[in-house]
């Protein structure tokens, strides 16, 4: 049997690699998508081969991730439950897509992942696989009773790793999990499972990877200009950049100023609530700037229509339906809304805050001649508002009269 495993080199997938090899008598191809993990990829191939993989494939998918996933999602204004920038959620369909392609080229029988039976990632991986390659078997060790009997929790996994000389970053003294990519770093489990636990406390400062604490950020604000074309950021501070370059530049700026830290209790697709801590410095800046550009260039009714779909679109991404026909249909509508989202947004970054400092666009729908409070009846006759209000008030007056009549009766 041949299995393609989504491999990160962390505690779970390192243990699972060895477990799959032993329990399925299988040849394991470890696949790692480089989507911005940085130093986490150092020595990964050597580690995978020593752990038991027959082959380790590492591919740089950062540009594709930024261009075809992050940027498309941010055009939609997606943010889950008003707080989460969907950093983990949006990475999974890309990883699954490439796993499927590798499985076919390697003539593998199955793909496998290290997501638990309590989380969202299992759904995201497997819905993507179902949409792209329904013929492939999907193996999820955490949902197998024999695996859970052997590894009741992280303590048993750490002990197994030590006994089998499998090097992993997680240790008993730091038992939270971390997932990093170009858009964010997420932290969960272990000490973070208590929602009263303060992740902004001094003792937790070493946990964060991308950003300083807001109180440690510079005491002076820094300005940054983002240039947009057709809904996508194409330049930062006048320098033309690829989508990957944009994310890297904004991550550096945002991290320097303590921007994009989020600590939330979210509603998981599987039915429970979960506590997650996230760093999304560049994403927070991009999301904010994109909205500012839209306020200047997007028609009111088009904006309100698109905004009404943000919860639906965000839930589709969060729940793993990236390759669904409804997400693709929504994306087509989103693309239409972005035709005129072109111009420049100027921001100030200061101690965790993003402050708008200006916006301009050749496609601007803002007309100072109409908006001005100065007397210019040629552009807007204030007398017209009388009839406008009278017509909109008509149904309210009829209802009020009926309520008065009911009371008198």
């Amino acid at each position: 049997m041949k299995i393609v495993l989504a491999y990160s080199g962390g505690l779970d997938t390192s243990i699972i690699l060895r477990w799959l090899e032993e329990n399925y008598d299988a040849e394991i191809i470890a696949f790692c998508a480089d989507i911005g993990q940085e130093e986490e990829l150092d020595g990964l191939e050597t580690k995978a081969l020593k752990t038991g993989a027959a082959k380790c494939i590492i591919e740089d998918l950062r540009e594709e991730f930024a261009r075809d996933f992050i940027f498309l999602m941010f055009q939609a204004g997606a943010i889950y439950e008003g707080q989460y920038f969907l950093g983990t959620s949006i990475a999974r369909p890309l990883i699954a897509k490439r796993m499927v392609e590798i499985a076919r080229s390697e003539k593998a029988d199955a793909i496998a992942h290290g997501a638990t039976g309590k989380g969202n990632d299992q759904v995201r991986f497997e819905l993507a696989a179902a949409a792209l390659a329904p013929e492939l078997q999907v193996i999820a060790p955490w949902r197998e009773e024999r695996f859970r009997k052997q590894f009741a929790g992280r303590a048993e996994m750490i002990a197994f790793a030590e006994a089998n000389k499998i090097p992993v970053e997680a240790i008993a003294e730091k038992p939270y999990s971390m997932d990093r990519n170009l858009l964010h770093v997420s932290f969960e489990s272990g000490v973070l499972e208590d929602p009263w636990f303060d992740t902004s406390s001094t003792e937790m400062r070493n946990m964060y990877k991308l950003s300083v604490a807001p109180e440690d950020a510079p005491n002076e604000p820094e300005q940054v200009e983002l240039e947009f074309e057709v809904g996508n950021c194409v330049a930062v501070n006048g320098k033309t950049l690829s989508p990957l370059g944009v994310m890297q530049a904004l991550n550096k700026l945002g991290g320097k100023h303590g921007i994009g830290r989020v600590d939330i209790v979210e509603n998981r697709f599987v039915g429970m609530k979960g506590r997650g801590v996230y760093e999304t410095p560049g994403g927070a800046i991009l999301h904010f700037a994109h909205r500012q550009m839209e306020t200047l260039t997007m028609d009111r009714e088009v904006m309100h229509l698109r905004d009404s779909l943000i919860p639906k679109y965000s839930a589709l991404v969060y729940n793993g339906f990236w390759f669904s026909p409804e997400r693709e249909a929504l994306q087509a509508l989103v693309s239409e809304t972005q035709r005129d989202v072109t111009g420049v947004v100027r921001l100030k970054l200061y101690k965790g805050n993003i402050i708008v400092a200006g916006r301009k666009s050749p496609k601007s729908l803002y007309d100072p001649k109409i908006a001005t409070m100065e007397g210019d009846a040629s552009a807007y006759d204030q007398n017209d508002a009388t009839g406008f209000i009278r017509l909109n008030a008509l149904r309210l007056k009829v209802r009020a009269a009926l309520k008065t009549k009911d009371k008198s009766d």
Side-chain angles (χ1 to χ4, degrees), residues 14-89:
S14 294
I15 301 305
I16 285 171
L17 194 162
R18 178 69 61 84
W19 188 87
L20 287 172
E21 181 189 27
E22 294 175 354
N23 287 270
Y24 278 82
D25 190 23
E27 177 182 328
I28 310 299
I29 300 171
F31 168 64
C32 179
D34 178 0
I35 50 176
Q37 301 94 313
E38 300 293 340
E39 67 276 2
E40 292 178 25
L41 299 177
D42 294 345
L44 193 68
E45 182 177 6
T46 299
K47 182 190 293 187
L49 296 176
K50 284 184 176 180
T51 305
K55 182 189 294 188
C56 180
I57 300 172
I58 303 172
E59 292 188 355
D60 186 351
L61 303 181
R62 295 175 298 165
E63 195 70 71
E64 182 181 358
F65 183 39
R67 182 189 64 239
D68 296 342
F69 292 82
I70 297 173
F71 272 34
L72 288 185
M73 181 179 71
F74 276 15
Q75 281 191 355
I79 184 166
Y80 185 67
E81 295 186 339
Q83 298 184 87
Y84 173 39
F85 291 107
L86 296 160
T88 298
S89 312

Side-chain angles (χ1 to χ4, degrees), residues 61-169:
L61 303 181
R62 295 175 298 165
E63 195 70 71
E64 182 181 358
F65 183 39
R67 182 189 64 239
D68 296 342
F69 292 82
I70 297 173
F71 272 34
L72 288 185
M73 181 179 71
F74 276 15
Q75 281 191 355
I79 184 166
Y80 185 67
E81 295 186 339
Q83 298 184 87
Y84 173 39
F85 291 107
L86 296 160
T88 298
S89 312
I90 193 61
R92 297 321 188 214
L94 172 58
I95 297 170
K97 169 178 167 288
R98 192 65 191 115
M99 284 180 70
V100 163
E101 293 168 349
I102 290 171
R104 284 174 168 164
S105 66
E106 295 283 344
K107 295 181 171 52
D109 305 283
I111 61 173
H113 62 77
T116 75
K118 288 187 174 182
N120 299 303
D121 276 346
Q122 58 177 337
V123 184
R124 295 166 185 153
F125 277 120
E126 295 182 40
L127 289 182
L132 300 175
E135 75 281 2
L136 281 176
Q137 180 185 352
V138 180
I139 300 172
W142 273 111
R143 299 207 305 266
E144 295 191 28
E145 188 174 352
R146 55 179 174 163
F147 182 86
R148 295 196 305 275
K149 280 185 176 180
Q150 185 174 353
F151 303 106
R154 293 177 65 79
E156 288 80 5
M157 299 185 82
I158 291 170
F160 181 88
E162 291 175 347
N164 288 273
K165 298 182 180 179
I166 300 172
V168 290
E169 185 177 349

Side-chain angles (χ1 to χ4, degrees), residues 275-307:
R275 196 266 190 97
V277 180
Y278 304 101
E279 289 181 278
T280 320
I285 295 171
L286 183 60
H287 190 276
F288 184 93
H290 180 258
R291 181 68 185 198
Q292 292 301 318
M293 196 75 268
E294 289 181 330
T295 64
L296 199 62
T297 59
M298 190 182 288
D299 173 81
R300 180 188 71 182
E301 295 306 316
V302 171
M303 176 180 282
H304 291 177
L305 174 61
R306 195 285 310 274
D307 286 357

Side-chain angles (χ1 to χ4, degrees), residues 211-404:
S211 62
V212 301
E215 55 266 39
D216 295 332
N219 292 324
E220 296 295 329
E222 181 174 358
Q223 288 199 352
V224 57
E225 291 187 0
L226 283 73
E227 182 178 345
F228 287 86
E229 288 183 5
V230 198
N232 286 324
C233 183
V234 296
V236 177
N237 286 332
K239 183 179 180 181
T240 300
L241 297 169
S242 71
L244 170 59
V246 167
M247 294 307 303
Q248 290 174 327
L250 295 182
N251 275 332
K252 186 176 180 180
L253 280 168
K256 175 183 175 182
H257 292 278
I259 286 165
R261 292 189 176 188
V262 179
D263 183 337
I264 62 175
V265 176
E266 66 203 57
N267 289 296
R268 292 180 181 172
F269 191 28
V270 293
M272 70 187 73
K273 289 184 182 289
R275 196 266 190 97
V277 180
Y278 304 101
E279 289 181 278
T280 320
I285 295 171
L286 183 60
H287 190 276
F288 184 93
H290 180 258
R291 181 68 185 198
Q292 292 301 318
M293 196 75 268
E294 289 181 330
T295 64
L296 199 62
T297 59
M298 190 182 288
D299 173 81
R300 180 188 71 182
E301 295 306 316
V302 171
M303 176 180 282
H304 291 177
L305 174 61
R306 195 285 310 274
D307 286 357
S308 71
L309 298 170
I310 288 176
K312 177 62 177 177
Y313 186 104
S314 302
L316 289 174
V317 176
Y318 186 84
N319 295 339
F321 289 96
W322 180 260
F323 294 110
S324 68
E326 62 269 33
R327 199 280 306 174
E328 293 170 357
L330 285 180
Q331 199 72 57
L333 184 147
V334 167
S335 295
E336 178 66 19
T337 70
Q338 299 297 299
R339 288 193 304 172
D340 295 330
V341 182
T342 295
V344 179
V345 177
R346 184 173 60 224
L347 305 173
K348 285 195 293 188
L349 311 178
Y350 181 65
K351 290 191 177 294
N353 295 291
I354 309 170
I355 305 160
V356 65
R359 60 295 242 184
K360 61 182 179 179
S361 170
K363 303 281 190 178
S364 176
L365 296 175
Y366 173 79
D367 188 340
K369 294 179 180 178
I370 297 175
T372 181
M373 296 299 292
E374 304 299 325
D376 185 1
S378 63
Y380 182 92
D381 187 347
Q382 296 190 46
N383 292 330
D384 292 342
T386 303
F388 174 78
I389 295 169
R390 184 181 294 121
L391 288 175
N392 277 280
L394 179 59
R395 64 185 181 88
L396 304 178
K397 290 180 178 180
V398 170
R399 182 170 180 268
L402 181 60
K403 290 171 70 176
T404 301

